[in-house]
């Protein structure tokens, strides 16, 4: 599975959510769960992207790849940030409520969700 985290650095809800996501990510990785988070930024400049992404333990869509970022936001119908979309190995959406899943199950006890 892949998780897509869509956010922007200056967003207060994003700053509050990312540490929760990091904790759950590390907890599930420690348990041997196979998945990856892909960070998709909506930052206005590359230095903001680099500063915020530098604190994340997962991979990211390159800042310069705005075309693919826009495509993912459209495909997942992202209307607000932060958003966490979980997809299966075929690229099919499992849930667009990943943020809620992390908040309700921060230790991943009921993972996989959806």
């Amino acid at each position: 599975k892949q998780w897509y985290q869509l956010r922007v650095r200056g967003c207060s809800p994003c700053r509050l959510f990312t540490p929760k996501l990091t904790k759950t990510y590390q907890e599930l990785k420690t348990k041997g769960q196979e998945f990856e988070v892909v960070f998709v930024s909506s930052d206005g400049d590359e230095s903001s992207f680099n500063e915020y992404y530098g604190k994340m333990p997962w991979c990211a869509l390159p800042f310069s790849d705005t075309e693919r970022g826009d495509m993912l936001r459209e495909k997942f119908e992202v209307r607000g940030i932060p958003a966490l979309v979980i997809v299966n190995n075929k690229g099919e959406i499992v849930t667009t409520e990943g943020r809620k899943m992390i908040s309700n199950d921060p230790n991943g006890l009921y993972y996989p969700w959806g």
Side-chain angles (χ1 to χ4, degrees):
K1 289 186 177 179
Q2 287 188 324
W3 303 5
Y4 289 92
Q5 181 198 21
L6 299 102
R7 54 132 322 266
V8 65
R9 178 177 166 263
C11 158
S12 293
C14 299
R15 286 194 308 264
L16 295 172
F17 176 68
T18 300
K20 294 176 186 177
L21 177 57
T22 301
K23 180 180 183 277
T24 302
Y25 175 88
Q26 291 169 333
E27 182 77 26
L28 291 173
K29 285 292 189 176
T30 299
K31 293 178 181 177
Q33 293 290 340
E34 292 189 27
F35 71 97
E36 194 50 70
V37 173
V38 179
F39 170 53
V40 181
S41 175
S42 294
D43 286 312
D45 61 81
E46 194 163 5
S47 67
S48 295
F49 166 84
N50 290 335
E51 180 183 333
Y52 200 73
Y53 174 59
K55 301 171 186 169
M56 297 178 186
W58 44 77
C59 56
L61 188 67
F63 177 79
S64 60
D65 197 347
T66 55
E67 185 175 316
R68 201 166 7 164
D70 290 343
M71 183 273 304
L72 289 168
R73 280 184 280 281
E74 184 176 319
K75 176 181 179 170
F76 299 143
E77 299 179 0
V78 174
R79 301 289 177 251
I81 54 172
L84 182 64
V85 179
I86 300 174
V87 300
N88 64 21
N89 293 338
K90 296 177 184 177
E92 301 163 334
I93 295 172
V94 173
T95 183
T96 58
E97 298 291 331
R99 184 175 166 198
K100 184 196 273 183
M101 301 298 147
I102 296 290
S103 294
N104 292 341
D105 184 22
N107 294 317
L109 298 175
Y110 301 104
Y111 180 81
W113 310 293

